[in-house]
């Protein structure tokens, strides 16, 4: 991008490969978020996503929030991130139509005779009571846990940790928008999330970012729901401090936690912004992993600052959802949980919830880094140490064949993916190895 001056003209030209009101995968416009006096000073952009999910899930009234945004210190940075996130979301939602002709509808007992099949304890990750509750609210899901003779849809994917081999994994774990087939009478058990999906301008970089996302979300879920508080990070880096000062976070206390798990030593940092006054938005949270602890710290802070806007604008344009978030939501979406923490109602209770996730201290300079050229091989090595079933697919949409965008989807079933905030997977083997769910407060990530 630095080869072009002015760079924004080049970026707008690149956006025209994605956005067009008649033939783009995105609309031909995007919106820059207005500056609000007293709030963090950061460039931010957003766009709408057409209702692809209604076509894929055959539900003309289904509502899905894509949470598209790009943010950074400069407009160009925000624009690049918005394009990447748009490509990622589109690919994640439409990928199922590239592979559904390859699905195998079979029981695990039948299919395991042909090749390696994911064990069902990595599909049935809820307790029996949770599974029944999920079925009661989202009726397409079974009310009981999976069994060896249940018919489900499987997809064969290349193994990430055993090169040259393929593994069968449940399609419902891999693809967003997966729906059961009336013809095959297959059963659904677990919602899928986009965790482990990333877009970039090369397959290697997309794979690296997909692995980073999978590792960082696993670290966050463990910190939030289990009895594994994180040391608070003391920023002793002058460059990081200078950038933080440029963001003008004067109205907020910044608390960063070192979430990294020892078996997956990628620097992963979660950042809370808590308003100094009990006013809206009260609390927001961002989490980022990166080989550079300084980069993870700054990106986590900027993500948290960007999420503040969800609380502010929802309070203006969607007061019904804000009221539900505070009073009645079961937190089976990724909006009301954010609005719950944004609300100043019961402010001290929410601050105490955040405080429980910290224990001890560590200096930013003490966090080990991973060099840029070693991040991908190190990530694969880490994952191989904890996973037998990690797999991947290139899900780059054919609509982008004439561009340099690439999208990779990674599934690491042994790690904890994003979850519905009110339904942490209590029976997931990794959750139980860490002592099980100790806190049932909804998590704050959108």
């Amino acid at each position: 991008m630095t080869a072009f001056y002015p760079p924004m003209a080049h970026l707008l030209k690149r956006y025209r490969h994605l956005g067009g009101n008649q033939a783009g995968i995105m609309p031909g416009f995007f919106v820059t978020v207005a500056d609000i006096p007293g709030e963090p000073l950061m460039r931010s952009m957003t766009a709408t996503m057409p209702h692809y999910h209604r076509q894929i899930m055959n539900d003309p009234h289904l509502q899905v929030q894509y949470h598209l945004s790009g943010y950074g210190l400069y407009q160009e940075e925000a624009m690049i991130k918005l394009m990447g996130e748009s490509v990622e979301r589109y690919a994640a939602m439409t990928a199922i139509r590239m592979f559904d002709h390859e699905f195998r509808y079979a029981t695990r007992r039948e299919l395991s005779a042909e090749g390696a099949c994911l064990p069902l304890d990595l599909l049935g990750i809820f307790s029996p009571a949770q599974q029944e509750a999920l079925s009661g609210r989202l009726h397409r899901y079974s009310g009981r846990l999976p069994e060896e003779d249940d018919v489900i849809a499987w997809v064969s994917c290349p193994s990430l940790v055993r090169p040259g081999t393929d593994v069968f994994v449940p399609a419902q774990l891999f693809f967003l928008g997966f729906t059961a087939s009336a013809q095959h009478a297959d059963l659904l058990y677990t919602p899928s999330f986009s965790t482990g999906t990333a877009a970039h301008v090369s397959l290697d970089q997309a794979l690296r970012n997909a692995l980073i996302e999978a590792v960082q979300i696993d670290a966050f879920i463990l910190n939030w729901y289990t009895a594994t508080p994180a040391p608070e990070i003391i920023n002793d880096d002058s460059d990081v401090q200078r950038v933080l000062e440029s963001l003008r976070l004067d109205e907020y206390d910044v608390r960063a936690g070192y979430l990294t798990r020892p078996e997956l030593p990628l620097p992963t940092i979660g950042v809370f912004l808590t308003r100094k006054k009990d006013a809206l938005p009260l609390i927001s949270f961002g989490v980022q992993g990166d080989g550079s602890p300084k980069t993870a710290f700054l990106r986590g802070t900027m993500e948290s600052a960007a999420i503040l806007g969800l609380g502010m604008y929802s309070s203006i344009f969607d007061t019904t959802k804000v009221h539900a978030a505070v009073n009645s939501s079961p937190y089976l979406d990724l909006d009301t949980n954010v609005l719950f923490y944004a609300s100043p109602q019961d402010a001290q209770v929410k601050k105490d919830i955040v405080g429980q996730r910290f224990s001890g201290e560590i200096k930013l300079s003490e966090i080990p880094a991973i060099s840029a050229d070693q991040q991908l091989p190190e990530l694969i090595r880490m994952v191989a140490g904890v996973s037998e079933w990690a797999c991947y697919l290139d899900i780059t949409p054919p609509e982008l064949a004439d561009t340099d965008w690439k999208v990779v989807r990674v599934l690491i079933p042994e790690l904890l993916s994003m979850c519905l905030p009110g339904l942490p997977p209590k029976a997931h083997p990794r959750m139980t190895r860490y002592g099980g769910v100790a806190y049932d407060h909804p998590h704050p990530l959108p």
Side-chain angles (χ1 to χ4, degrees), residues 326-439:
V326 176
N327 296 284
S328 61
S329 176
Y331 305 109
L332 298 182
D333 59 64
L334 295 175
D335 286 319
T336 53
N337 59 319
V338 176
L339 300 178
F340 171 79
Y341 291 101
S343 168
Q345 183 173 317
D346 299 321
Q348 191 55 52
V349 172
K350 295 167 186 176
K351 292 176 183 178
D352 290 342
I353 290 172
V354 170
Q356 292 172 338
R357 308 320 319 133
F358 290 92
S359 178
E361 295 179 349
I362 186 172
K363 293 180 180 178
L364 183 59
S365 61
E366 295 173 343
I367 299 176
I370 302 173
S371 63
D373 61 336
Q374 288 300 307
Q375 285 190 42
L376 181 54
E378 275 296 297
L379 284 162
I380 294 175
R381 183 193 62 79
M382 290 178 204
V383 169
V386 299
S387 174
E388 179 184 354
W389 299 99
C391 55
Y392 67 97
L393 285 175
D394 176 354
I395 61 168
T396 307
E399 294 87 345
L400 300 178
D402 62 342
T403 73
D404 54 3
W405 287 109
K406 302 295 181 183
V407 189
V408 172
R409 171 77 164 120
V410 167
L411 177 67
I412 311 175
E414 292 92 341
L415 298 188
L416 290 159
S417 177
M418 177 62 80
C419 68
L420 296 171
L423 203 69
K426 292 184 177 180
H428 193 291
R430 186 157 171 83
M431 191 81 84
T432 58
R433 280 197 297 272
Y434 269 83
V437 172
Y439 304 95

Side-chain angles (χ1 to χ4, degrees), residues 25-101:
I25 67 169
M26 297 289 295
F29 63 90
F30 57 91
V31 177
T32 57
V33 179
D35 290 333
I36 300 175
E39 294 304 306
L41 184 62
M42 189 176 66
R43 302 300 91 192
S44 184
M45 298 179 181
T46 188
T48 59
M49 175 75 81
H51 297 305
Y52 299 115
H53 54 277
R54 294 182 177 177
Q55 298 283 341
I56 292 165
M57 300 185 73
N58 194 29
D59 184 342
H61 304 293
L62 183 66
Q63 296 293 327
V64 170
Q65 295 297 328
Y66 288 96
H67 296 135
L68 282 175
S69 68
Y71 53 84
L73 299 177
Y74 306 100
Q75 297 281 20
E76 291 84 356
E77 183 182 3
M79 183 71 187
I80 291 168
K81 290 181 178 178
L82 175 62
M83 285 193 290
E85 195 155 286
S86 300
V87 169
E88 174 199 318
R89 296 290 196 275
Y90 175 80
M93 183 55 69
T94 60
I96 190 171
R97 294 298 166 246
M98 295 170 57
F99 294 94
D100 56 0
H101 63 284

Side-chain angles (χ1 to χ4, degrees), residues 122-146:
L122 294 172
L123 172 63
I125 58 176
F126 299 114
S127 70
Q130 285 183 308
Q131 191 71 47
E132 185 176 357
L134 176 66
S135 175
R137 290 188 174 274
L138 302 176
H139 302 305
R140 61 185 179 273
Y141 290 98
S142 172
R144 60 170 177 79
L145 296 173

